[in-house]
Amino acid sequence: MSTPEYTTRNDDGDRSVRTGTVVWGLIAIAVGVLVLVSQLVDINLDTGLVLMGLLVGTGVALVVGGLVSMASRK
């Protein structure tokens, strides 16, 4: 039986949050909230329009996040 090899990282631990992770997390929360509200309040949502809106919002958020990240690196 061999012992596991442990490696140490030589960074200072200063990592920024990835924009994609935040955006997709917010999309997952938005979908969950929309499903929950539509079930509890008995609102009829057009699935196609909701998905198109989420898709446009996701694209805009990812592009803006990329631009902000690019601007902060310079």
Side-chain angles (χ1 to χ4, degrees):
M1 196 164 116
S2 65
T3 59
E5 294 182 24
Y6 295 101
T7 59
T8 58
R9 295 174 62 180
N10 292 330
D11 62 357
D12 59 354
D14 186 25
R15 293 184 63 188
S16 62
V17 178
R18 293 185 178 191
T19 304
T21 303
V22 173
V23 169
W24 288 111
L26 290 173
I27 294 302
I29 290 171
V31 169
V33 167
L34 284 172
V35 169
L36 185 63
V37 167
S38 70
Q39 292 296 318
L40 292 176
V41 185
D42 195 31
I43 296 174
N44 294 327
L45 297 174
D46 185 7
T47 307
L49 286 176
V50 170
L51 290 177
M52 283 192 307
L54 286 174
L55 185 62
V56 168
T58 301
V60 169
L62 287 172
V63 168
V64 169
L67 292 173
V68 169
S69 175
M70 184 178 66
S72 68
R73 288 184 187 172
K74 292 185 178 183

